[in-house]
């Protein structure tokens, strides 16, 4: 079977009235930028792109050379097309305006340019995550406030994984589609349409080293999974943790599972590690579109009204029945902890 390319897919979506020409251009431009990042990642030590940039981002994290380079590639690619009103990135303190010399469009682009930075130097999959919002009506110079929209307002979201192959996963609000980069042709043929996450799973993804800092409902949930066949769940569970959210979510989209980065009490001031706007919202949109669920353990991620651009949240996402179960544990008063059968 001959598959269609991303370009063809987007044109069809436009013809069917699902997207306009600007949104089509936006996705094309992001895909092109991801292709450039993929090439840089693929060169590894030969490209001189490994290691630290010697700077820190607004969240106090050390930036890697590839964090900075990927951010620049995405900024440069998106500045001149006329499809954007502004951009915001995990790696920049404030929203980035479109230079005055270029026309402005109606969309806001939000991204984590390089997800999984700790894996860059060790040749493990990393990726890019992005989310598209509409610029609020009448706003000419979008500031932070223009971006503070709940995830339900996203018009598109996607991610690229730079792994053994480079894939681009996309939702425009009507299912989830996967494209695989053909390195020789330089295009992205459609390789999976209408992806579905199985409702049940026996695989979980979590950084267990934080266990002693977790809240009681989290410990209860993981204790039950670890108890396996002889415990209350009556079956064995398997564990995987890549430490690149893109790769962990991609596995879950492909074969099911639950991904958890809970709030922990190591640093009580921090409500979680992952960022709402750059990581949680786009991934929650994709996961819900594939039939899965995404919560903070207490509420639906997409329903959160953001208070800050760089806000962090706990993340529970993936196979629906597991996400619902662990969310119910969080919402069950401690004295009724055995209420959820
Ligand atoms: P980033 O590289 O964009 O800062 O994100 C890293 C995130 C996420 O990709 C991953 O799931 C998580 O951090 C890993 O955290 P630990 O190192 O605490 O396991
Ligand atoms: Mn990230
Ligand atoms: Mn990042």
């Amino acid at each position: 079977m001959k598959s269609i390319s991303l370009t063809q897919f987007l044109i069809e979506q436009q013809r069917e009235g699902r997207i306009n020409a600007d949104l089509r251009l936006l996705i094309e431009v992001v895909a092109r930028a991801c292709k450039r990042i993929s090439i840089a990642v693929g060169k590894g030590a030969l490209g001189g792109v490994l290691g630290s940039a010697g700077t820190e981002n607004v969240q106090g994290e050390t930036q890697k050379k590839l964090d900075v380079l990927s951010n620049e590639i995405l900024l440069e690619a998106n500045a001149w097309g006329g499809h954007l009103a502004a951009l915001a990135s995990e790696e920049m303190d404030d929203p980035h305006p479109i230079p005055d010399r270029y026309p402005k469009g109606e969309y806001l682009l939000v991204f984590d340019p390089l997800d999984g930075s700790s894996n860059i130097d060790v040749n493990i999959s990393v990726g890019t995550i992005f989310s598209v919002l509409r610029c609020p009506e009448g706003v000419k110079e979008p500031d932070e406030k223009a971006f503070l929209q709940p995830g339900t307002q996203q018009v598109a979201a996607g991610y690229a994984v730079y792994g053994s192959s480079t894939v681009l996963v996309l939702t425009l609000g009507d299912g989830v589609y996967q494209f695989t980069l053909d390195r020789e042709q330089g295009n992205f043929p459609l390789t999976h349409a209408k992806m579905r996450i199985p409702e049940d799973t026996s695989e979980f993804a979590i950084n267990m080293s934080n266990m002693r800092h977790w809240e009681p409902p989290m410990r209860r949930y993981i204790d039950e999974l670890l108890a396996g066949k002889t415990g209350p769940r009556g079956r064995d569970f398997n564990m995987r943790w890549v430490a690149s959210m893109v790769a962990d979510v991609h596995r879950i989209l492909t074969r099911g599972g639950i991904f958890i980065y809970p709030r922990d009490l190591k640093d009580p001031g921090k409500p979680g590690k992952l960022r709402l706007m750059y990581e949680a919202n786009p991934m929650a949109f994709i996961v819900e579109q594939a039939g899965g669920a995404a919560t903070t353990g207490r509420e639906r991620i997409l329903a959160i009204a953001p208070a800050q651009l760089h806000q962090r949240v706990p993340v529970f996402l993936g196979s629906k029945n597991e996400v619902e179960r662990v969310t119910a544990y969080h919402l069950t008063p401690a004295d009724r902890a055995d209420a959820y059968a």
Side-chain angles (χ1 to χ4, degrees):
M1 187 193 83
K2 196 180 170 310
S3 86
I4 61 167
S5 67
L6 174 67
T7 299
Q8 217 173 330
F9 171 82
L10 292 172
I11 287 174
E12 281 174 11
Q13 295 293 308
Q14 188 185 344
R15 281 195 192 130
E16 286 162 22
R18 242 173 248 123
I19 58 172
N20 63 18
D22 273 2
L23 186 52
R24 171 164 70 88
L25 177 64
L26 189 160
I27 306 289
E28 287 268 17
V29 167
V30 169
R32 221 151 39 218
C34 290
K35 197 159 65 181
R36 284 191 59 196
I37 299 171
S38 168
I39 292 168
V41 169
K43 284 199 195 309
L46 302 178
V49 294
L50 304 186
S52 164
T55 47
E56 271 189 4
N57 66 14
V58 64
Q59 304 164 66
E61 297 160 340
T62 305
Q63 291 178 305
K64 297 282 175 96
K65 283 185 192 161
L66 262 177
D67 288 319
V68 176
L69 179 70
S70 306
N71 193 57
E72 279 165 7
I73 289 175
L74 279 154
L75 284 186
E76 207 180 281
N78 279 286
W80 50 272
H83 51 284
L84 286 183
L87 308 96
S89 158
E90 182 187 286
E91 301 300 341
M92 299 187 295
D93 301 12
D94 303 305
H96 184 86
I98 297 296
D100 284 340
R101 61 185 183 281
Y102 300 126
K104 286 202 183 112
E106 60 178 306
Y107 294 107
L108 300 173
L109 177 64
V110 180
F111 53 85
D112 174 356
L114 211 286
D115 176 68
S117 309
S118 73
N119 283 323
I120 294 170
D121 295 347
V122 291
N123 203 12
I124 293 174
S125 298
V126 292
T128 296
I129 311 172
F130 66 94
S131 154
V132 184
L133 295 161
R134 271 201 188 86
C135 187
E137 236 165 89
V139 175
K140 294 269 169 293
E141 308 281 332
D143 56 4
E144 173 168 356
K145 218 170 120 243
F147 285 84
L148 302 181
Q149 307 178 33
T152 47
Q153 298 299 310
Q154 292 172 103
V155 295
Y159 64 79
V161 186
Y162 314 117
S164 43
S165 58
T166 286
V167 298
L168 183 79
V169 169
L170 175 70
T171 184
L172 301 168
D174 182 37
V176 179
Y177 295 82
Q178 182 182 325
F179 304 84
T180 303
L181 177 63
D182 181 326
R183 295 185 208 269
E184 281 75 42
Q185 306 280 347
N187 62 0
F188 280 99
L190 176 67
T191 44
H192 301 75
K194 298 269 181 191
M195 299 176 80
R196 300 299 293 172
I197 299 175
E199 286 186 4
D200 289 301
T201 183
S202 295
E203 199 162 70
F204 64 101
I206 194 162
N207 184 339
M208 294 280 292
S209 69
N210 296 320
M211 193 165 194
R212 69 188 188 284
H213 303 294
W214 293 343
E215 297 177 305
M218 259 311 297
R219 288 207 206 195
R220 173 190 171 196
Y221 177 69
I222 297 293
D223 279 346
E224 289 181 5
L225 302 189
L226 295 179
K229 244 189 203 125
T230 53
R233 301 299 304 271
R235 66 180 198 272
D236 289 338
F237 284 78
N238 185 35
M239 195 193 90
R240 288 284 183 276
W241 183 249
V242 182
S244 290
M245 188 193 199
V246 275
D248 281 311
V249 170
H250 192 64
R251 182 187 60 254
I252 287 168
L253 195 63
T254 307
R255 69 177 189 210
I258 178 169
F259 170 95
I260 307 177
Y261 212 116
R263 170 160 73 200
D264 64 46
L265 305 173
K266 191 164 53 183
D267 185 352
K270 265 195 202 167
K273 175 171 185 186
L274 299 175
R275 275 82 17 156
L276 174 62
M277 304 293 292
Y278 316 110
E279 293 166 323
N281 267 344
M283 291 310 202
F285 189 20
I286 291 166
V287 164
E288 284 198 6
Q289 282 293 315
T295 74
T296 61
R298 292 176 167 85
E299 60 181 325
R300 184 182 173 214
I301 286 174
L302 294 181
I304 299 172
Q308 287 170 348
L309 197 55
H310 298 289
Q311 182 173 341
R312 297 175 191 259
V313 288
V315 174
F316 296 71
L317 60 77
S319 291
K320 204 171 180 180
N321 291 338
E322 288 305 311
V323 175
E324 282 177 359
R325 174 183 282 266
V326 67
T327 302
Y329 286 9
H330 282 78
L331 297 174
T332 307
D335 59 338
R336 296 185 49 235
D338 55 0
Y340 194 89

